[in-house]
Every structure is written in structure tokens, then in C-alpha cells.
């Protein structure tokens, strides 16, 4: 985990946007894990940790890119539609905005929490409007670890969004975390095969009821 609160480079945002435009995976080690509800989930082994990192490609219908980006960034609204949120808030640390997020885990497992930075850029790449949101775990003494909650110390996520040419959004997501502790393999498999598609489905539904959504 990074020990300081830092910004993402412009190249990182543009690389995420370019990958979405390509709509394909680079590298031979990515393998298709599951296809569900129009979402393709790929994984490959992270050799340094022995855990998997994941990439998601797919389309969310009837959710325009600008709206999807707004909904994803709205933490207060997420508390309403994401059933796994235990606690979620932003805090200013060293002049940067840091997010604290506690995730509910099923009994008897301990909840996990994350401390991370996230930033959004709205890019124009080859005439296409692409929304990119980058997130990465950080370590800050102002947000101490809690008794009974396991701090996730390795976390990274990239989300890129663009129009699907209709009323929906094409999305590309990369994510990796090390949840720590002893987690049963069945739960890891469920989260990869079902949790991510269900989250994106819920995210799409949240777009329909977002308070700031303009009438169609």
C-alpha cells in the first residue's frame, strides 16, 4: 500500500481510455472466467501475490456514460443501492480526498475495509468522450485500522466508460485486491463469477433512479 496520498498520472488515465476503445485484452495470460448478462470477466494470476487480478468488459444498457460516471462517483447515493456497504465516506488528508469504505462480509468472516484515493478524468480520445475513474489503496495514519475489521492493504481499480452508440455505456474495468485473512475458495469464486455481474447490474438499476437524472 502506498504510504502517501498522491495523484495519478495523465498517462494512466489515457491508457485506461485507450484500452476501452480497443475492447480487447493484451497479453496471452488473460483467460475468460465467466460470461454473464452481457459482461465478460477475465482473470490472470498475479505472480507476486499468487492471487488473481481481473478485467471486465461489457455493456450497460439505458445508462448513458455521463450518468454512469456520476452515479459511480456519488458515495452518498451508493449507500442507498449497494447492500454490501457498511460505512462509506470521504476525508481530506494532506490536501487530497481519501475514501474510507467498509464492506460487509458474511458471518463468520470479518468485514474488510479500504482506504483509497480515486480521481476522475473526462477525456476526448480520437473524437470519443471517455470517462475514466482510477482508484488505489493508500496508507494514512489519520484513518486507523479497527478492531474486528481487516484492512485491505493492496487495492487497485480502473474504470473506463464510453457510449455504446445507443442509449447505454461500454465499460472496461480492471481490479485487484488482497483481502487478507482466510477466505474460503467458494466465496472468492462466487465474488468473481456472480458478485461483479450483480454489482454492475445494480449499478445499472441505480442509474434509473438517480435523483439528478434528467427526464427522458
Amino acid at each position: 500500500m502506498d504510504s502517501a496520498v498522491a495523484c495519478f498520472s495523465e498517462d494512466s488515465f489515457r491508457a485506461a481510455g485507450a484500452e476501452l476503445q480497443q475492447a480487447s485484452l493484451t497479453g496471452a495470460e488473460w483467460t475468460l472466467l465467466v460470461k454473464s448478462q452481457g459482461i465478460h470477466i477475465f482473470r490472470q494470476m498475479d505472480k507476486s501475490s499468487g492471487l488473481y487480478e481481473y478485467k471486465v468488459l461489457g455493456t450497460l444498457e439505458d445508462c448513458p456514460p455521463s450518468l454512469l460516471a456520476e452515479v459511480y462517483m456519488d458515495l452518498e447515493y451508493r449507500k442507498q443501492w449497494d447492500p454490501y456497504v457498511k460505512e462509506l465516506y470521504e476525508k481530506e488528508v494532506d490536501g487530497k480526498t481519501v475514501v474510507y469504505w467498509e464492506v460487509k462480509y458474511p458471518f463468520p468472516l470479518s468485514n474488510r475495509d479500504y482506504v483509497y484515493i480515486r480521481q476522475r478524468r473526462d477525456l476526448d480520445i480520437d473524437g470519443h468522450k471517455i470517462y475514466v475513474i482510477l482508484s488505489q489503496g493508500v496508507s494514512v495514519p489519520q484513518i486507523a485500522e479497527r478492531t474486528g475489521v481487516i484492512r485491505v492493504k493492496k487495492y487497485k481499480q480502473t474504470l473506463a466508460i464510453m457510449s455504446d452508440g445507443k442509449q447505454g455505456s461500454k465499460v472496461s474495468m480492471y481490479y485487484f485486491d488482497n483481502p487478507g485473512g482466510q477466505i474460503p475458495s467458494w466465496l472468492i469464486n462466487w465474488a468473481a463469477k456472480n458478485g461483479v455481474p450483480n454489482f454492475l447490474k445494480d449499478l445499472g438499476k441505480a442509474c434509473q433512479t438517480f435523483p439528478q437524472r434528467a427526464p427522458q
Side-chain angles (χ1 to χ4, degrees), residues 71-182:
V71 170
Y72 189 83
M73 291 293 291
D74 193 322
L75 299 185
E76 287 301 315
Y77 183 48
R78 182 166 180 173
K79 295 176 187 179
Q80 301 177 33
W81 62 265
D82 187 344
Y84 294 101
V85 171
K86 171 71 173 180
E87 187 173 356
L88 184 61
Y89 64 84
E90 292 180 326
K91 181 181 180 71
E92 290 297 315
V93 176
D94 297 333
K96 300 291 191 302
T97 300
V98 176
V99 177
Y100 175 83
W101 175 35
E102 182 178 343
V103 182
K104 298 176 185 176
Y105 268 61
F107 180 84
L109 300 175
S110 299
N111 286 356
R112 265 63 177 174
D113 66 3
Y114 298 72
V115 178
Y116 63 95
I117 55 170
R118 64 170 187 167
Q119 293 177 337
R120 167 181 166 178
R121 291 283 188 277
D122 299 350
L123 306 175
D124 188 320
I125 301 179
D126 298 330
H128 297 281
K129 186 70 171 288
I130 301 179
Y131 304 82
V132 178
I133 301 165
L134 304 182
S135 303
Q136 183 170 313
V138 292
S139 176
V140 293
Q142 293 89 339
I143 305 179
E145 296 186 30
R146 299 179 175 183
T147 302
V149 179
I150 296 177
R151 176 67 47 87
V152 176
K153 297 182 178 180
K154 291 290 185 180
Y155 169 68
K156 184 178 181 181
Q157 185 180 83
T158 298
L159 176 64
I161 308 165
M162 67 183 292
S163 173
D164 67 350
K166 301 176 183 178
Q167 299 297 316
S169 298
K170 287 176 58 179
V171 299
S172 171
M173 177 188 290
Y174 165 89
Y175 65 98
F176 172 82
D177 67 19
N178 183 347
Q182 298 296 320

Side-chain angles (χ1 to χ4, degrees), residues 33-52:
L33 177 64
V34 66
K35 178 181 177 181
S36 175
Q37 305 168 27
I39 302 296
H40 296 73
I41 302 176
F42 302 83
R43 72 178 182 181
Q44 74 173 357
M45 181 72 72
D46 174 62
K47 295 180 175 60
S48 64
S49 66
L51 300 172
Y52 283 104

